């Protein structure tokens, strides 16, 4: 990972110099135009993907039971418990908005998540809970994400990017499977199916060659990377096997929807955008709208962590990065990717993340502190 981080930092510096040329290629920038809504859509889609993965695990377990007649079903294996544990972080991305537009549905979603978690924890059959929660989440998507965005090709493409490169996504699922995370592989498999479905929503805009290029990558991922929904042992191979086809697919997708889909391509613009986006959410904390504020902080924090800005600042301004990272984790519970010498320390702290977040006595003050840190980050780029 050390070599990868240095390479990313070097590439980020080069991309910064070329940013004005690259960003001018496209007329849309959904990660900048709809930062919050992309995060909300990602949260709901990721929860739906978790349900897809749980159904795949259940189908695999039933097949095993058929082969081992007479053995009692033992419930969800420990390798897959993290799939369920992720619902709470997903929920924070959208629950404030959902509660504002449909409080009854918001309560039903929360209760359904709790019912599913209880069923899994007790080793019970969870089929009914999955069906109920899926219906509620699909309804929530309609209520939270405006129709004009759900039908906007650039917005749909941004969601594809998140499910391809984000936490629980196609690229990460395979990488973590190589590291022994069996549940991550099933999440990646489910992400690929969901990405393929979203692609069909925008494929009509593609030229014949563009369609062939994207579908070639999807076919490669299906036939050579995610060949089965559930694995019994860690993958032996290149952890970046899924990364290259995903990156190529997104590159083609940019031309299909005429939109910038790599928000980290112009790090200077991203560094300017994040504090501008965050400022209003800090005011929401002061107004007592904590859930709505948290949605925005999560959207900003996720972009900081996922779009190479954090890695770049970790290289160029490590003190600024460390402070930003600490505040983002404390406020949101988002987990940064472990790398270099920090990996072991981060692993030790994972169990404390929830406690650290709960210990933020004044989230409004912490938000304003993060705002100042992000402004310092912008100054690194001359802002």
């Amino acid at each position: 990972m050390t070599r990868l981080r240095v390479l990313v930092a070097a590439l980020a510096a080069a991309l910064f110099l070329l940013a004005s040329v690259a960003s001018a290629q496209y007329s849309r920038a959904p990660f900048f135009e709809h930062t919050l809504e992309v995060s909300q859509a990602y949260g709901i889609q990721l929860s739906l993907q978790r349900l897809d993965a749980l159904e795949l695990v259940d189908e695999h377990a039933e097949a095993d039971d058929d082969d081992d007649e007479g053995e009692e079903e033992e419930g969800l294996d420990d390798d897959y418990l993290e799939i369920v544990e992720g619902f709470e972080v997903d929920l924070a991305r959208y629950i404030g908005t959902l509660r504002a537009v449909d409080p009854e549905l918001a309560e039903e979603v929360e209760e359904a998540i709790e019912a599913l978690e209880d069923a899994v924890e007790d080793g019970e059959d969870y089929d009914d809970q999955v069906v109920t929660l899926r219906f509620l989440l699909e309804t929530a998507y309609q209520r939270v994400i405006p129709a004009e965005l759900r039908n906007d090709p650039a917005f749909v493409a941004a969601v594809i990017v998140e499910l391809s490169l984000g936490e629980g996504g196609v690229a990460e699922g395979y990488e973590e499977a190589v590291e022994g995370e069996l549940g991550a592989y099933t999440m990646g498999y489910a992400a690929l199916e969901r990405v393929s479905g979203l692609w069909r929503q925008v494929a009509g805009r593609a030229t014949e060659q563009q369609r062939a290029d994207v579908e070639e990558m999807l076919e490669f991922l299906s036939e050579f990377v995610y060949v089965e929904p559930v694995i019994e042992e860690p993958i032996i191979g290149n952890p970046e096997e899924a990364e290259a086809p995903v990156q190529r697919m997104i590159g083609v997708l940019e031309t299909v929807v005429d939109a910038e889909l790599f928000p980290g391509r112009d790090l200077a613009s991203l560094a300017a955008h994040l504090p501008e986006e965050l400022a209003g959410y800090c005011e929401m904390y002061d107004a007592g709208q904590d859930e709505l504020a948290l949605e925005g902080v999560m959207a900003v924090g996720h972009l900081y962590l996922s779009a190479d800005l954090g890695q770049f600042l970790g290289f160029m301004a490590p003190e600024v990065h460390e402070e930003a990272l600490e505040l983002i984790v404390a406020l949101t519970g988002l987990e940064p990717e472990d790398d270099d010498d920090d990996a072991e320390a981060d692993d030790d702290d994972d169990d404390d993340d929830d406690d650290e977040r709960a210990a933020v006595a004044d989230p409004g003050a912490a938000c304003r502190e993060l705002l100042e840190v992000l402004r310092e980050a912008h100054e690194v780029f001359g802002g």
Side-chain angles (χ1 to χ4, degrees):
M1 290 298 292
T2 301
R3 182 175 64 84
L4 177 60
R5 182 175 180 178
V6 172
L7 177 61
V8 167
L11 288 173
L15 289 172
F16 168 57
L17 295 175
L18 298 173
S20 60
V21 176
S23 60
Q25 293 179 358
Y26 306 106
S27 64
R28 298 287 305 281
F31 286 98
F32 288 74
E33 296 166 6
H34 302 291
T35 303
L36 176 63
E37 292 87 350
V38 170
S39 175
Q40 292 170 329
Y42 175 44
I44 300 174
Q45 288 281 351
L46 188 55
S47 282
L48 287 166
Q49 180 186 311
R50 294 184 194 282
L51 298 181
D52 298 340
L54 289 173
E55 287 181 328
L56 292 169
V57 172
D58 193 40
E59 290 169 4
H60 179 77
E62 289 177 357
D64 280 352
D65 289 342
D66 290 341
D67 293 338
D68 302 320
E69 293 183 8
E71 292 190 10
E72 184 177 350
E73 187 175 344
E74 298 179 355
L76 194 64
D77 191 279
D78 288 347
D79 287 321
Y80 303 98
L81 290 178
E82 287 189 10
I83 296 174
V84 180
E85 293 168 358
F87 281 110
E88 294 301 324
V89 175
D90 300 345
L91 184 69
R93 290 182 181 270
Y94 64 87
I95 192 63
T97 296
L98 181 60
R99 200 181 311 280
V101 299
D102 193 334
E104 182 177 347
L105 178 58
E107 184 176 353
E108 289 176 337
V109 168
E110 290 176 317
E111 291 175 352
I113 289 174
E114 184 177 357
L116 176 58
E117 291 172 337
D118 289 345
V120 170
E121 183 178 344
D122 294 340
E124 299 174 352
D125 180 270
Y126 51 77
D127 288 352
D128 291 343
Q129 287 82 2
V130 166
V131 171
T132 298
L133 182 54
R134 183 182 300 282
F135 171 78
L136 294 172
L137 288 172
E138 289 173 347
T139 305
Y141 198 77
Q142 306 292 316
R143 301 289 285 139
V144 171
I145 308 302
E148 60 269 22
L149 290 183
R150 299 197 305 270
N151 298 319
D152 178 4
F155 185 85
V156 173
V159 178
I160 289 175
V161 172
E162 293 289 30
L163 296 178
S164 298
L165 294 174
E167 186 267 330
V170 178
E172 183 187 80
Y174 191 86
E175 179 180 353
E176 293 193 354
V178 174
E179 298 170 358
E181 300 290 335
L182 305 187
Y185 180 91
T186 301
M187 281 289 286
Y189 183 99
L192 180 58
E193 291 190 330
R194 194 157 283 273
V195 164
S196 297
L198 290 169
W199 158 246
R200 289 191 288 272
Q201 294 184 30
V202 299
R205 299 174 57 90
T207 66
E208 184 177 346
Q209 185 59 56
Q210 290 169 338
R211 183 191 295 266
D213 288 342
V214 170
E215 292 180 358
E216 177 187 355
M217 294 303 97
L218 292 173
E219 183 178 357
F220 173 84
L221 289 164
S222 178
E223 293 188 2
F224 299 102
V225 178
Y226 288 103
V227 297
E228 55 186 335
V230 178
I231 56 175
E232 303 287 350
E233 300 291 340
I235 296 291
I236 298 175
N238 177 10
E240 306 297 327
E241 187 71 23
E243 182 81 17
V246 163
Q247 294 278 357
R248 180 184 169 192
M249 177 185 70
I250 294 170
V252 176
L253 191 58
E254 286 187 311
T255 64
V256 173
V257 301
D258 187 24
E260 169 64 72
L261 298 179
F262 292 101
R265 180 177 280 142
D266 185 347
L267 290 177
S269 293
L270 181 62
H273 171 69
L274 292 185
E276 292 176 356
E277 182 78 20
L278 183 65
Y281 302 120
C282 295
E283 294 176 0
M284 287 182 180
Y285 274 124
D286 295 336
Q289 299 174 313
D290 287 15
E291 286 186 332
L292 291 172
L294 178 56
E295 287 184 5
V297 178
M298 293 195 74
V300 169
H302 174 73
L303 265 185
Y304 178 89
L305 296 173
S306 66
D308 295 336
L309 180 58
Q311 287 186 315
F312 181 82
L313 289 171
F315 183 75
M316 297 297 295
E319 292 183 1
V320 173
H321 170 61
E322 288 173 9
E323 190 172 359
L325 185 62
E326 181 180 351
L327 288 164
I328 289 169
V329 171
L331 280 165
T332 68
L334 292 172
E335 295 184 4
E337 180 181 351
D338 296 339
D339 60 355
D340 300 337
D341 298 332
D342 296 332
E344 184 175 347
D346 287 340
D347 286 340
D348 292 339
D349 292 341
D350 278 349
D351 293 337
D352 299 328
D353 281 348
D354 291 339
D355 293 338
E356 186 177 5
R357 180 178 165 190
V360 178
D362 187 346
C367 184
R368 290 189 294 274
E369 187 176 351
L370 176 59
L371 180 60
E372 291 305 312
V373 173
L374 291 180
R375 287 171 175 162
E376 290 180 28
H378 183 209
E379 292 174 2
V380 174
F381 294 88

